[in-house]
């Protein structure tokens, strides 16, 4: 394309043609004038001056933009961007001597207190001592558990009072324990704690989201403290905080902090949304925390198990772990599944964890596996222990559980970069088929019952259903998993 510009000199018209090629091509500038070479030289100098000035402007613009971008990036990486923007957006940049609560989240409320924060456990209170006019404001109340939308369980969670106090008040408690320049995170281990899915989904992962940016310079204060919970998750807690956790109700001393976060930020089911975290953290970063927590204890055991994988003819067999269940949703022909997997070429381990099984032992088994198989249920939460990008997760999905299986485990597993296979059983693979027959709506149309609410799903499809796999049908996804695992092993 040719563009024309006009320059005026002593009444004469000059035509300047700029011929442009495709993207990235150079631009050729030609100038013609009836006055000959002198005029051509003068016009050329003006054009070159204009081009040079334009170039300088562009350099200035891009250098300024790049500097601004890098400056913003550096601020975030150095922790200069207020963490409140990600934890409690409505409280971003609050001033000292302030209590601010962000209650816009569907799943949880989060309050932030900045200044002289002191605990008073006997009244379930946190005091913020200040000399400002905020002293006349009514206290804020919060239940620091991440299931805000579920009234029935929230009614069982202890409520905290966040209260302004005059710093000159005569009853100002002396700090029994002072944590200089270290904030605190208050949260509850009540609610559904006791179920491994809820322990990770409503507790451990939100705790990571809320506290990771403090780089362990934070104290965890636990409301409704449970010794077994702290023992069970102590290895993970030690990766997020450099201080022992505090039993809010059991420790009546006055603990003092420069600031406090009350409540935890939660994103989605067993997930970390990078767009909502300081530093763009993902579930893979949480998985790295698990590695750091458990790897030191099991390094030698993992190496021993790896050596055992080399079998006859020097071939390396992929390791398959079956998460076994007892009671509801039990795999009734589990022994035949083991034989099928071994015939295909797997080395098989059947894992039967219970509430007393040490997490490090489960982690050791799954972290060294190539494939995990299990029937939908809370134990599927352990997919978090599988290695991203190289492990297959096969979830057996009983009748009436499709939505829950995909929402709670299938989609989160994909975010962890696992190769996920959802195996939806046929009616004849369900024990409900023998009980109700193929024409009953419970078999023919499970959605007509699950739409009635969780209680129907729980009583029929979760508590009263077992599975007998059609092994001829199941061979296909199992063979795919074997092929994938062999490819991964051979590539390393």
């Amino acid at each position: 394309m040719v563009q024309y510009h006009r320059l005026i000199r002593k009444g004469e018209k000059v035509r300047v043609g700029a011929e442009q090629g495709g993207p990235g091509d150079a631009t050729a500038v030609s100038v013609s004038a009836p006055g000959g070479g002198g005029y051509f030289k003068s016009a050329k100098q003006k054009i070159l001056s204009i081009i040079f000035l334009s170039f300088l402007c562009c350099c200035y613009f891009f250098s300024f933009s790049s500097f601004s971008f890098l400056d913003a990036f550096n601020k975030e990486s150095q922790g200069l961007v207020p963490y409140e923007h990600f934890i409690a957006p409505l409280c971003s940049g609050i001033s000292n001597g302030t209590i601010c609560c962000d209650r816009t989240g569907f799943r949880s409320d989060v309050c932030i207190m900045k200044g002289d924060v002191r605990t008073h456990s006997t009244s379930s209170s946190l005091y913020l001592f200040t000399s400002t006019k905020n002293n006349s404001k009514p206290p804020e109340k919060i239940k620091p558990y991440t299931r805000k939308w579920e009234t029935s369980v929230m009614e069982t969670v202890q409520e905290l009072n966040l209260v302004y106090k005059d710093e000159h008040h005569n009853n100002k408690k002396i700090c029994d324990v002072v944590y200089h320049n270290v904030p605190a995170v208050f949260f509850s281990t009540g609610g559904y704690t006791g179920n491994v899915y809820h322990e990770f989904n409503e507790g451990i992962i939100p705790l990571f989201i809320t506290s990771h940016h403090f780089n362990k310079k934070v104290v965890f204060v636990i409301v409704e403290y449970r010794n077994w919970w702290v023992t069970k998750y102590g290895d993970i807690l030690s990766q997020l905080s450099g201080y022992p956790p505090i039993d809010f109700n059991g420790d009546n001393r006055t603990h003092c902090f420069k600031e406090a976060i009350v409540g935890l930020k939660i994103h989605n089911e067993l997930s970390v949304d990078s767009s909502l975290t300081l530093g763009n953290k993902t579930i893979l970063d949480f998985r790295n925390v698990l590695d750091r927590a458990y790897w030191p204890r099991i390094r030698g055991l993992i190496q021993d198990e790896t050596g055992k994988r080399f079998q006859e003819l020097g071939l390396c067999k992929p390791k398959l772990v079956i998460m076994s269940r007892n009671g509801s949703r039990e795999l009734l022909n589990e022994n035949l599944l083991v034989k099928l997997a071994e015939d295909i070429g797997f080395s098989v381990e059947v894992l039967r964890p219970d509430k007393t099984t040490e997490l490090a032992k489960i982690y050791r088994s799954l972290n060294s596996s190539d494939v995990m198989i299990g029937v939908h249920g809370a134990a599927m939460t352990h997919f978090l222990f599988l290695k991203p990008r190289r492990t297959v997760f096969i979830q057996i999905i009983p009748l009436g559980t499709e939505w829950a299986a995909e929402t709670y485990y299938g989609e989160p597993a994909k975010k962890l970069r696992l190769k996920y296979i959802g195996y939806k059983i046929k009616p004849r693979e369900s024990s409900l088929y023998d009980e109700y027959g193929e024409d009953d709506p419970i078999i023919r149309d499970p959605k007509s019952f699950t739409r009635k609410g969780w209680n129907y799903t729980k009583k029929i499809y979760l508590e009263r259903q077992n599975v007998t796999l059609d092994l001829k049908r199941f061979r296909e996804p199992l063979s795919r998993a074997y092929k994938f695992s062999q490819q991964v092993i051979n590539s390393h």
Side-chain angles (χ1 to χ4, degrees):
M1 181 177 69
V2 178
Q3 295 179 335
Y4 295 96
H5 306 274
R6 292 186 181 272
L7 299 177
I8 307 298
R9 180 175 181 263
K10 293 183 179 181
E12 296 180 310
K13 294 182 179 180
V14 181
R15 188 179 78 181
V16 181
E19 298 183 5
Q20 297 179 334
D25 293 342
T27 300
V29 180
S30 61
V31 182
S32 60
Y39 179 73
F40 176 87
K41 182 176 180 180
S42 176
K44 183 176 181 181
Q45 290 174 341
K46 290 182 178 180
I47 292 169
L48 291 175
S49 297
I50 293 171
I51 293 174
F52 179 70
L53 289 173
S54 300
F55 175 74
L56 288 178
C57 290
C58 290
C59 290
Y60 174 79
F61 173 77
F62 284 113
S63 64
F64 178 79
S65 299
S66 300
F67 175 79
S68 300
F69 172 78
L70 291 173
D71 183 57
F73 177 80
N74 287 333
K75 282 184 177 180
E76 179 171 327
S77 64
Q78 295 170 10
L80 299 180
V81 175
Y83 70 83
E84 303 99 313
H85 176 73
F86 299 93
I87 305 302
L90 289 186
C91 302
S92 183
I94 65 169
S95 59
N96 214 38
T98 304
I99 300 174
C100 175
C101 291
D102 189 335
R103 304 184 188 275
T104 60
F106 174 73
R107 295 170 178 260
S108 68
D109 294 332
V110 178
C111 295
I112 295 176
M113 307 173 72
K114 287 201 172 183
D116 184 357
V117 180
R118 306 190 180 202
T119 62
H120 191 259
S121 60
T122 55
S123 64
S124 297
S125 299
L126 301 179
Y127 294 152
L128 177 63
F129 286 91
T130 175
S131 60
T132 67
K133 59 183 180 181
N134 286 333
N135 292 329
S136 60
K137 289 186 177 181
E140 296 280 359
K141 295 180 180 294
I142 181 174
K143 294 186 174 185
Y145 187 64
T146 57
R147 223 166 164 85
K148 167 184 168 181
W149 52 273
E150 192 171 348
T151 305
S152 59
V153 71
M154 291 302 289
E155 288 176 349
T156 70
V157 176
Q158 181 178 344
E159 185 173 67
L160 297 181
N161 306 299
L162 314 184
V163 185
Y164 285 104
K165 287 284 187 179
D166 189 337
E167 66 179 7
H168 302 297
H169 197 279
N170 292 333
N171 292 328
K172 184 176 181 180
K173 296 290 184 180
I174 297 175
C175 294
D176 296 308
V177 184
V178 181
Y179 293 101
H180 291 289
N181 298 318
V182 178
V185 173
F186 290 73
F187 64 96
S188 172
T189 53
Y192 287 126
T193 299
N195 176 294
V196 67
Y197 167 78
H198 292 289
E199 288 166 9
F200 273 93
N201 189 62
E202 281 112 53
I204 296 297
I205 294 178
L207 187 60
F208 166 78
I209 292 170
T210 307
S211 66
H212 71 86
H213 53 276
F214 289 122
N215 296 318
K216 300 179 68 172
K217 296 177 180 178
V218 60
V219 176
F220 296 147
V221 184
I222 303 175
V223 181
E224 299 169 288
Y225 185 101
R226 301 166 190 251
N227 285 316
W228 66 263
W229 186 91
V230 173
T231 300
K232 181 176 182 179
Y233 293 106
D235 292 329
I236 301 175
L237 297 179
S238 66
Q239 294 300 314
L240 299 176
S241 170
Y243 301 84
I246 295 171
D247 179 354
F248 178 77
N249 299 98
D251 187 344
N252 292 325
R253 295 178 298 172
T254 299
H255 294 264
C256 302
F257 307 96
K258 68 167 188 174
E259 61 185 284
I261 301 171
V262 188
L264 301 178
K265 184 69 174 179
I266 182 172
H267 291 163
N268 212 326
E269 311 301 333
L270 298 176
S271 300
V272 178
D273 187 336
S274 63
S275 67
L276 300 176
T277 58
L278 188 62
N280 302 116
K281 301 297 183 183
T282 70
I283 193 65
L284 294 172
D285 294 291
F286 174 75
R287 179 60 173 69
N288 291 337
V289 170
L290 298 184
D291 255 346
R292 294 196 298 272
Y294 294 119
W295 189 260
R297 300 184 59 194
I298 63 176
R299 188 186 304 273
L301 294 171
I302 290 277
Q303 291 172 347
D304 291 343
E305 289 181 358
T306 302
K308 293 176 183 177
R309 293 170 63 181
F310 289 89
Q311 304 294 329
E312 53 274 337
L313 301 178
L315 297 177
C316 185
K317 288 189 175 183
K319 176 183 174 183
L320 181 147
V321 174
I322 298 173
M323 297 292 287
S324 185
R325 291 183 61 95
N326 291 316
S328 65
R329 283 161 286 151
E330 184 177 349
L331 194 56
L332 298 178
N333 58 343
E334 184 180 275
N335 60 328
L336 296 179
L337 173 60
V338 171
K339 185 177 184 306
L340 172 63
E342 289 175 340
D343 290 343
I344 288 175
F346 284 106
S347 172
V348 181
E349 176 184 353
V350 179
L351 195 59
R352 295 184 174 91
D354 57 35
K355 291 184 178 180
T356 64
T357 304
E358 188 180 0
L359 283 180
K361 293 182 178 179
I362 302 174
Y363 189 88
R364 182 187 66 187
S365 293
L366 295 178
N367 187 64
S368 62
S369 70
D370 301 290
V371 180
M372 182 182 96
I373 295 177
V375 180
H376 167 68
M380 295 301 95
T381 305
H382 295 113
F383 78 78
L384 292 167
F385 294 178
L386 300 174
K387 287 183 178 178
R389 301 182 180 90
R390 57 172 297 165
T391 312
V392 182
F393 168 34
I394 302 177
Q395 180 177 204
I396 298 170
I397 305 174
L399 296 182
T401 66
E402 290 89 346
W403 180 86
E406 295 299 332
T407 301
Y408 298 147
Y409 305 109
E411 291 304 318
K414 295 174 188 175
K415 293 176 183 176
L416 190 59
R417 310 248 182 113
L418 301 177
K419 183 174 178 59
Y420 171 72
I421 299 174
Y423 177 83
K424 298 179 183 179
I425 71 169
K426 296 292 186 181
R428 288 182 181 273
E429 295 174 274
S430 171
S431 61
L432 296 175
Y433 183 88
D434 294 331
E435 183 176 353
Y436 292 95
E438 62 181 344
D439 295 326
D440 193 286
I442 287 178
I443 302 299
R444 181 171 40 83
D445 187 17
K447 288 183 179 180
S448 65
F449 282 86
T450 58
R451 278 196 294 263
K452 293 180 180 180
W454 175 248
N455 285 335
Y456 282 88
T457 301
K458 181 180 179 181
K459 290 179 180 179
I460 298 173
Y461 298 106
L462 296 182
E463 295 180 350
R464 293 171 53 189
Q465 181 174 199
N466 291 317
V467 175
T468 302
L469 287 175
D470 179 345
L471 295 178
K472 289 183 179 179
R473 180 169 175 257
F474 194 73
R475 175 182 282 272
E476 190 275 329
L478 197 55
S479 297
R480 275 195 288 139
Y482 178 80
K483 182 178 179 180
F484 176 85
S485 299
Q486 281 285 37
Q487 290 173 344
V488 171
I489 291 172
N490 292 337
S491 66
H492 284 76

